[in-house]
Amino acid sequence: VEQVNLLISDLDGTLLGDQRALDEFKSWYVQKEDELRIVYSSGRFLESICESIELHGLPAPAGIICGVGTEIHDLMAGERVADWPSCRQTWSAEAVRAVCATIDSLEEQPRHLLSDFKVSYYGDDLTEIELARLERKLESLGQDVSIVYSSNRDLDILPAGTNKGTAARFLSERWSIGADRVIVAGDTGNDAGMFCCGFRGIVVGNARPELKSVRGTNVYHAKLHFAAGVLEGLKHWLGAPRAARVTADQAT
Ligand code: GLC
């Protein structure tokens, strides 16, 4: 079992959003490189993520999770994980799109944001009831899906069991890093999946209400925004003795 810690962080609105805060994060990270491995997890796809890494001079990641968990790149092994998403038998992007095309309140996102395993729309202020109705409709047609709604606007429909959380768990297990050594960070609904895997979580200060409402002993709510919030959370989790944190978690 590896003794390094792993940070799995969202980009837009989490590490990205305030360049000065990011610069501070980067200078801190230079000292920690050997003990803290980084993975970026975004709703965007590889090319666009790599452009951001370059543009903002982000630290080199050990892995990249794209498309809200639908695509995993293990950069330590130098490969895209081939057998992911794992549940594909009951998924057809075409069938999902056909159903959604009949719903007036949904507008398909631009092509470069879509893939065979990620069907995404813009839909303002969708309610829990509307989302549940959509899920039932897809289910009745044999489509086993995972529905992720973020920022009161972005609707992602993915194969069942696929989200940023299950992708994060896949990578940490592949690298034999125990859940108690994994720290996740995010700001919106598509990050919520990462907060229920037994990992330590950081919710940045500027997070949307849907992520702010995620509570628990393993969730740290930073006061600071963007990368400064991530840094605040990392100092919190890495500062406390690990064994004590695990005990505290088990006590609840
Ligand atoms: C990113 C993606 C978009 C997705 C959203 C929420 O903005 O580009 O497709 O809907 O994240 O997951």
Side-chain angles (χ1 to χ4, degrees), residues 229-252:
V230 177
L231 185 53
E232 179 190 334
L234 283 171
K235 286 176 179 165
H236 170 82
W237 289 125
L238 297 174
R242 216 165 50 89
R245 293 194 323 244
V246 173
T247 315
D249 266 2
Q250 283 164 348
T252 56

Side-chain angles (χ1 to χ4, degrees), residues 40-58:
Y40 300 124
S41 182
S42 171
R44 296 191 266 137
F45 286 104
L46 193 62
E47 211 187 306
S48 149
I49 294 171
C50 290
E51 275 170 23
S52 288
I53 293 174
E54 200 163 313
L55 181 68
H56 298 279
L58 285 164

Side-chain angles (χ1 to χ4, degrees), residues 12 42-45 68 109 113-114 118 120-122 148 150-151 153-156 164 188 190:
D12 304 314
S42 171
R44 296 191 266 137
F45 286 104
V68 197
Q109 290 189 9
L113 302 179
L114 312 177
K118 174 175 176 287
S120 298
Y121 295 85
Y122 298 123
V148 180
S150 314
S151 315
R153 187 191 72 152
D154 299 327
L155 175 67
D156 301 310
K164 283 190 178 187
T188 70
N190 79 0

Side-chain angles (χ1 to χ4, degrees), residues 54-239:
E54 200 163 313
L55 181 68
H56 298 279
L58 285 164
I64 300 180
I65 295 171
C66 316
V68 197
T70 53
E71 195 176 303
I72 302 175
H73 296 265
D74 177 348
L75 302 182
M76 309 217 18
E79 64 182 22
R80 174 176 172 180
V81 174
D83 46 1
W84 186 268
S86 48
C87 170
R88 304 174 175 196
Q89 290 74 23
T90 51
W91 164 266
S92 150
E94 276 319 303
V96 170
R97 290 175 68 187
V99 168
C100 293
T102 66
I103 303 174
D104 287 341
S105 50
L106 299 183
E107 180 199 335
E108 197 170 75
Q109 290 189 9
R111 275 237 66 91
H112 70 278
L113 302 179
L114 312 177
S115 79
D116 287 347
F117 299 110
K118 174 175 176 287
V119 178
S120 298
Y121 295 85
Y122 298 123
D124 288 334
D125 303 317
L126 300 177
T127 63
E128 291 289 334
I129 294 172
E130 286 172 299
L131 295 172
R133 196 184 299 143
L134 174 60
E135 188 167 4
R136 273 201 308 277
K137 193 160 176 185
L138 289 167
E139 239 168 50
S140 71
L141 295 170
Q143 292 301 307
D144 232 340
V145 300
S146 155
I147 291 186
V148 180
Y149 189 51
S150 314
S151 315
N152 279 321
R153 187 191 72 152
D154 299 327
L155 175 67
D156 301 310
I157 308 175
L158 321 166
T162 312
N163 59 52
K164 283 190 178 187
T166 54
R169 191 163 50 210
F170 180 91
L171 258 194
S172 61
E173 283 174 2
R174 193 179 222 231
W175 292 338
S176 301
I177 300 177
D180 60 340
R181 288 187 177 274
V182 179
I183 300 170
V184 299
D187 72 319
T188 70
N190 79 0
D191 299 311
M194 299 195 287
F195 288 76
C196 30
C197 301
F199 302 144
R200 308 287 182 258
I202 302 168
V203 175
V204 289
N206 57 288
R208 307 276 311 198
E210 77 254 18
L211 200 68
K212 283 214 160 154
S213 65
V214 175
R215 302 263 153 199
T217 49
N218 62 339
V219 182
Y220 179 78
H221 288 263
K223 280 171 223 45
L224 301 176
H225 292 195
F226 305 108
V230 177
L231 185 53
E232 179 190 334
L234 283 171
K235 286 176 179 165
H236 170 82
W237 289 125
L238 297 174

